[in-house]
């Protein structure tokens, strides 16, 4: 018997020989002749030692002795019947019990009748136990032991959990248990009479088979791991043991093959190794603190997808009811940076609600066939873990593919993906902290500049007029002092607004563009100007901070929007607010902003009139705090037009889509 190996772990150990039965075999000798019965019983016992021979004068005298008998030897001539009739009675009471018929005067007719009756052996004798009779009884007892041993083995393995097969010494299958049928797909009738090569373990060289046969024929055990095929062609990994089976005398009778399915164990071992490689490679790639966030994210997705064996890996941002793909690796039309989907048609809707990663090994089989997520993305396997920053769900880290995977594989990967998501959350939090610290430092520098320059000028002017007032007592000097004090108060208010409003957005809500624009317009002295809201949309924003955006833009338009038919600022001016594909705009029909000045209008201290120069800087800072971009251009009527991109796609020319996405990620961290 042989099975082709794919991985040899085998050790060779001596198989202990089968031991003798603790009870002596028993032979029943039936003979109506008392003298002959006693003589031949004694002679048979001596010749067959250590066999116990018991005598009976007739078939009726056998009684309950048959239950303990291993063989019946009977003369043909009996007082109450003949040997052939007795053999039939014995068969009825003890099927399989060997029956040897001894005849004094044999004939072909009698031999034919005996054979037809199913006696084990027919032996002519001359009145004394011949060597031939002894040999036939010994052979019958040996066969009895062999069959008993085989039946015992089969009974023992019939309900075994491992797949077991028995072969003859030539390697032909004689028996397989139900576990073998279940594992391989071959029924008992299909396997018996064939060899283990039906499992297609793969071709081996002649040296392999010579070593295998030499091992088991020498009474040793052969062990290895093999990759077999089931009847349907599906591969499985089996730990296989092949051992010899001997009779009571130590003679080789059969081989037993035991196969334990270790496919799942091998898959688990492989995934553990892959997980370790993933974490080691990730550490080596991104441990350098100088590596930028974009590179770390790309490395994490690439390493995770490669080592965990997925064609796709992606990072998402979950915002209310929307999933946005921030970064991705792999070729999939619906999984690309910047793509958005309602969360109800994504796999991540389950991921964000669970502390443990979500796994899907075969979506259609697990009830996803009619699910919007499967219909849209078509991923049959998926594993995803949520990313949490400061106790709030930021998004998810996911891997998947369009082919099913073993559930055990995904279960083994859960802890690795969770570790990657936790690490990524820490990196995003650190980046958020560093970005906030950098902004705060920049803000402090700006405030210091304001304190040293913007406030110093009116303070110097006020001090000069105060000195003149002391010398002359003229009222105009006191009025100048008061005006400069008012200007300093205005600057201080704007600086405080910039500090409080243009930092970070903690929470957002849906805000009506029409409602907030109208509300802010009513809170500004419009001096005869008109507001037009051209269309309606909803913006996800901090409503309080957004009010400062509109109020400052409206004041800026009114201060600079002198029209051709009046010298009064703002009079006759029309300010228009409306939605765009990616956000909204605020435009006017005033004189506009010269192209050369447009890139500077958001700088602190920039002012085209007597303003503080902080109004548009406040607008820019609040937009930046939301993760938006804002730029100024020319309106249709030639005035100023401020355009806001709120969906993360508005970035400076030359930025790559990936860089733009990561920049949006950087700013969107402020929303937590």
């Amino acid at each position: 018997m042989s099975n082709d190996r794919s991985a040899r772990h085998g050790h060779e150990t001596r198989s202990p020989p089968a031991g003798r039965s603790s009870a002596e075999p028993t032979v029943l000798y039936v003979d109506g002749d008392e003298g002959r019965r006693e003589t031949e019983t004694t002679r048979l016992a001596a010749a067959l030692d250590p066999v116990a021979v018991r005598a009976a004068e007739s078939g009726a005298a056998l009684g309950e002795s048959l239950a303990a008998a291993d063989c019946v030897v009977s003369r043909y001539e009996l007082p109450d019947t003949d040997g052939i009739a007795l053999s039939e009675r014995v068969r009825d009471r003890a099927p399989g019990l060997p029956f040897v018929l001894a005849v004094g005067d044999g004939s072909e007719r009698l031999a034919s009748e005996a054979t037809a009756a199913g006696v084990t052996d027919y032996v002519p004798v001359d009145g004394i136990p011949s060597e031939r009779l002894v040999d036939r009884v010994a052979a019958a007892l040996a066969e009895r032991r062999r069959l008993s041993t085989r039946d015992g083995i089969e009974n023992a393995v019939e309900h075994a959990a491992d797949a077991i097969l028995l072969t003859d010494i030539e390697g032909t299958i004689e028996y397989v248990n139900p576990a073998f049928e279940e594992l391989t797909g071959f029924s008992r009738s299909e396997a018996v009479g064939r060899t283990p090569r039906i499992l297609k373990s793969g071709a081996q060289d002649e040296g392999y088979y010579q070593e295998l046969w030499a091992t088991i024929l020498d009474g040793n055990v052969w062990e290895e791991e093999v990759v077999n095929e089931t009847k349907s062609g599906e591969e499985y990994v089996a730990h296989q043991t092949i051992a010899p089976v001997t009779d009571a005398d130590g003679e080789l009778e059969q081989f037993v093959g035991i196969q334990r399915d270790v496919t799942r164990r091998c898959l688990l071992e492989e995934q553990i190794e892959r997980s370790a490689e993933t974490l080691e490679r990730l550490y080596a790639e991104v441990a350098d603190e100088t590596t930028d966030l974009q590179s770390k994210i790309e490395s994490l997705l690439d390493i995770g997808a490669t080592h965990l064996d997925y064609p796709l890996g992606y990072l998402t941002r979950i915002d209310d009811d929307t999933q946005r793909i921030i970064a991705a690796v792999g070729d999939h039309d619906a999984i690309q940076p910047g793509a958005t989907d309602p969360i109800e048609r994504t796999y991540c809707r389950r991921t964000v609600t669970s502390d443990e990663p979500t796994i899907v090994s075969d979506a259609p089989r697990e009830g996803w066939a009619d699910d919007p997520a499967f219909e849209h993305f078509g991923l049959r396997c998926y594993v995803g873990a949520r990313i949490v920053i400061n106790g709030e769900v930021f998004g998810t880290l996911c891997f998947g593919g369009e082919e099913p995977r073993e559930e055990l594989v995904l279960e083994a990967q859960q802890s690795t993906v969770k570790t990657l998501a936790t690490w990524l959350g820490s990196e995003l939090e650190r980046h958020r902290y560093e970005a906030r610290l950098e902004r705060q430092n920049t803000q402090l520098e700006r405030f210091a500049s304001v304190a040293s320059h913007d406030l110093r000028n009116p303070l110097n002017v006020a001090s000069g007029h105060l000195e003149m007032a002391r010398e002359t007592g003229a009222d105009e000097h006191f009025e100048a002092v008061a005006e400069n004090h008012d200007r300093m108060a205005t600057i201080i208010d704007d600086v405080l607004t910039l500090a409080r409003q243009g930092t970070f957005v903690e929470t957002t809500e849906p805000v009506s563009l029409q409602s907030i624009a109208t509300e802010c317009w009513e809170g500004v002295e419009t001096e005869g100007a008109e507001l037009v809201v051209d269309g309606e949309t909803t913006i996800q924003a901090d409503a309080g901070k957004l009010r400062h955006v509109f109020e400052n833009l409206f004041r800026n338009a009114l201060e600079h929007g002198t029209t051709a038919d009046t010298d009064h600022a703002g009079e006759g001016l029309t300010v228009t607010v409306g939605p765009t594909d990616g956000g909204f705009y605020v435009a006017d029909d005033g004189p506009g902003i010269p192209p050369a000045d447009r890139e500077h209008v958001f700088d602190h201290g920039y002012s085209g009139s007597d303003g503080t120069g902080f109004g548009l800087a406040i607008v820019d800072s609040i937009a930046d705090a939301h993760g938006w971009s804002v730029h100024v251009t020319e309106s249709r009527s030639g005035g100023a037009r401020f355009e806001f991109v709120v969906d993360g796609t508005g970035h400076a020319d030359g930025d790559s889509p990936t860089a733009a996405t990561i920049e949006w990620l950087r700013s969107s961290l402020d929303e937590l």
Side-chain angles (χ1 to χ4, degrees):
M1 170 183 176
S2 65
N3 251 15
D4 300 339
R5 62 182 178 175
S6 64
R8 175 98 179 271
H9 303 300
H11 61 276
E12 298 178 2
T13 59
R14 176 68 62 177
S15 176
R20 291 185 181 274
S21 172
S22 58
E24 291 180 338
T26 299
V27 173
L28 297 180
Y29 180 79
V30 187
D31 192 340
D33 186 320
E34 181 178 359
R36 187 173 56 196
R37 183 172 64 245
E38 292 179 0
T39 301
E40 296 192 358
T41 298
T42 301
R43 292 179 178 179
L44 280 172
L48 295 171
D49 182 60
V51 174
V53 181
R54 297 178 183 177
E57 63 182 9
S58 65
L62 289 177
E64 299 301 323
S65 300
L66 282 175
D70 293 289
C71 180
V72 176
V73 179
S74 176
R75 299 290 295 195
Y76 177 73
E77 303 86 357
L78 298 174
D80 56 346
T81 184
D82 61 52
I84 293 177
L86 178 61
S87 71
E88 293 174 347
R89 287 163 54 187
V90 169
R91 290 283 185 273
D92 291 339
R93 294 179 57 186
L97 184 64
F99 191 99
V100 177
L101 182 63
V103 297
D105 250 342
S107 67
E108 290 185 7
R109 179 188 61 80
L110 189 58
S112 177
E113 290 178 1
T115 302
V119 299
T120 305
D121 217 333
Y122 171 86
V123 184
V125 294
D126 296 325
I128 61 172
S130 67
E131 290 184 3
R132 185 178 182 188
L133 179 60
V134 171
D135 290 343
R136 297 298 179 85
V137 173
L141 288 173
E143 179 66 12
R144 170 76 165 174
R145 286 195 300 270
R146 190 186 74 80
L147 293 176
S148 178
T149 300
R150 175 174 171 177
D151 290 343
I153 293 174
E154 293 182 4
N155 289 334
V157 304
E158 186 71 13
H159 302 291
D162 292 336
I164 299 176
L165 67 157
L166 296 173
T167 77
D168 62 19
I169 59 176
E170 301 298 328
T172 301
I173 298 174
E174 296 184 325
Y175 165 84
V176 298
N177 70 344
F180 179 93
E181 295 178 301
E182 181 178 355
L183 175 62
T184 68
F186 288 98
S187 67
R188 186 171 298 178
S189 62
E190 291 173 322
V192 171
R194 303 172 72 180
T195 72
R197 291 177 183 249
I198 60 174
L199 301 178
K200 299 179 182 178
S201 302
Q204 299 293 341
D205 58 30
E206 189 60 30
Y208 166 82
Y209 293 108
Q210 290 177 357
E211 182 183 2
L212 186 154
W213 279 104
T215 299
I216 59 180
L217 288 173
D218 194 35
N220 294 319
V221 176
W222 178 274
E223 289 189 57
E224 63 183 341
E225 283 192 359
V226 295
V227 178
N228 287 339
E229 283 189 20
T230 66
K231 181 180 178 181
S232 62
E234 182 179 356
E235 290 187 343
Y236 67 94
V237 183
H239 180 88
Q240 177 173 262
T241 302
I242 305 174
V245 178
T246 58
D247 62 17
D249 298 322
E251 294 296 325
L252 181 64
E253 286 191 326
Q254 291 176 297
F255 294 110
V256 59
I258 304 173
Q259 292 193 355
R260 174 166 295 174
D261 186 3
V262 294
T263 306
R264 292 171 63 84
R265 188 207 72 197
C266 292
L267 286 173
L268 182 59
E269 290 175 349
E270 180 183 355
Q271 289 311 310
I272 291 174
E273 183 176 347
R274 282 181 173 272
S275 295
E277 291 177 354
T278 299
L279 297 178
E280 289 175 4
R281 176 73 182 277
L282 180 65
Y283 179 80
E285 289 279 339
V286 303
D288 187 354
E289 293 186 358
T290 62
T291 304
D292 61 87
L293 180 63
Q294 175 183 341
S295 298
K296 288 183 177 182
I297 291 174
E298 291 175 347
S299 293
L300 182 145
L301 292 175
D302 183 62
I303 291 170
T306 299
H307 288 272
L308 297 180
D309 195 23
Y310 287 97
L312 299 168
Y314 56 102
L315 171 66
T316 77
R317 173 75 167 101
I318 305 299
D319 191 3
D320 291 331
D321 295 328
T322 301
Q323 169 187 285
R324 178 188 301 275
I325 306 294
I326 294 175
V329 296
D331 185 14
H332 193 290
D333 292 341
I335 302 178
Q336 295 295 328
T340 60
D341 288 283
I343 195 169
E344 64 266 17
R345 75 170 184 181
T346 69
Y347 294 89
C348 293
R349 72 176 188 272
R350 296 191 183 179
T351 305
V352 296
T353 62
S354 174
D355 290 335
E356 296 302 318
T358 298
I359 61 173
V360 180
S361 61
D362 190 348
R365 189 184 64 200
E366 296 175 25
W368 291 75
D370 298 326
D371 192 281
F374 182 67
E375 292 177 349
H376 179 60
F377 292 97
L379 301 182
R380 291 189 68 174
C381 65
Y382 165 91
V383 55
R386 67 183 185 180
I387 299 170
V388 178
I389 301 179
N390 282 342
E392 298 291 332
V393 176
F394 172 82
T396 61
L397 173 65
C398 314
F399 298 95
E402 296 177 349
E403 296 296 329
R405 299 288 296 274
E406 284 282 345
E407 185 175 1
L408 182 70
V409 172
L410 275 73
E411 290 174 353
Q413 293 173 346
Q414 278 182 296
S415 61
T416 303
V417 175
K418 185 176 182 178
T419 299
L420 296 178
T422 301
W423 176 86
L424 185 54
S426 299
E427 282 295 307
L428 293 174
E429 170 59 23
R430 185 173 71 86
H431 179 81
R432 175 194 177 204
Y433 171 78
E434 292 175 351
R436 173 177 289 185
L437 186 62
E438 182 180 352
R439 292 187 184 186
Q440 289 175 339
N441 290 337
T442 302
Q443 199 120 31
L444 286 174
E445 292 176 1
R446 290 175 178 175
F447 292 163
S449 175
V450 169
S452 64
H453 182 270
D454 295 69
L455 289 175
R456 188 176 299 279
N457 288 338
L459 181 61
N460 289 338
V461 174
S463 297
H465 279 285
L466 181 60
E467 185 66 25
M468 293 296 296
R470 288 171 177 166
E471 294 177 359
T472 65
D475 290 341
E476 64 268 19
H477 293 300
F478 289 105
E479 292 175 358
V481 170
E483 288 176 358
N484 280 278
H485 282 173
D486 289 342
R487 179 170 178 78
M488 284 189 289
T490 301
I491 291 174
I492 290 171
D493 286 342
D494 284 346
V495 169
L496 290 175
T497 298
L498 183 63
R500 293 168 180 167
Q501 303 298 332
T503 54
F504 299 95
V505 172
E506 300 295 335
T507 59
T508 62
E509 59 183 330
V511 179
S512 166
L513 179 67
Q514 183 180 38
S515 297
I516 197 166
T518 303
E519 177 185 339
C520 293
W521 183 261
E522 293 173 351
V524 175
E525 294 182 9
T526 57
E527 301 181 4
E530 179 185 3
L531 173 69
V532 175
V533 180
D534 184 18
E536 170 64 336
T537 190
T538 298
I539 305 166
Q540 196 72 24
D542 181 318
K545 296 183 187 296
L546 188 58
R547 289 188 183 92
H548 284 280
V549 170
F550 283 107
E551 289 171 355
N552 279 281
L553 288 176
F554 291 162
R555 290 193 184 102
N556 182 75
L558 293 168
E559 289 173 3
H560 303 290
T562 303
T563 57
D565 56 352
T566 178
D567 292 333
H568 298 289
E571 186 174 341
L573 185 74
T574 299
V575 177
T576 304
V577 175
T580 64
D581 289 341
F584 65 96
Y585 71 91
V586 178
D588 62 55
D589 58 359
I593 300 174
D597 294 340
R598 290 173 186 170
E599 60 180 300
H600 303 295
V601 296
F602 298 112
D603 295 343
H604 292 81
Y606 177 87
S607 177
S609 61
D610 294 331
T612 64
F614 284 96
L616 294 182
I618 292 171
V619 170
D620 183 53
S621 294
I622 293 175
D624 189 54
H626 278 83
W628 305 342
S629 63
V630 56
H631 63 277
V632 63
T633 183
E634 184 176 300
S635 68
R636 292 180 179 178
S637 60
R641 176 183 170 102
F642 294 85
E643 295 183 351
F644 294 80
V645 180
V646 303
D647 66 353
T649 60
H651 298 276
D653 292 341
D655 284 350
S656 68
T658 302
T661 302
I662 298 299
E663 176 61 22
W664 178 87
L665 166 64
R666 178 192 64 76
S667 59
S668 70
L669 285 169
D670 301 338
E671 299 176 23
L672 293 174

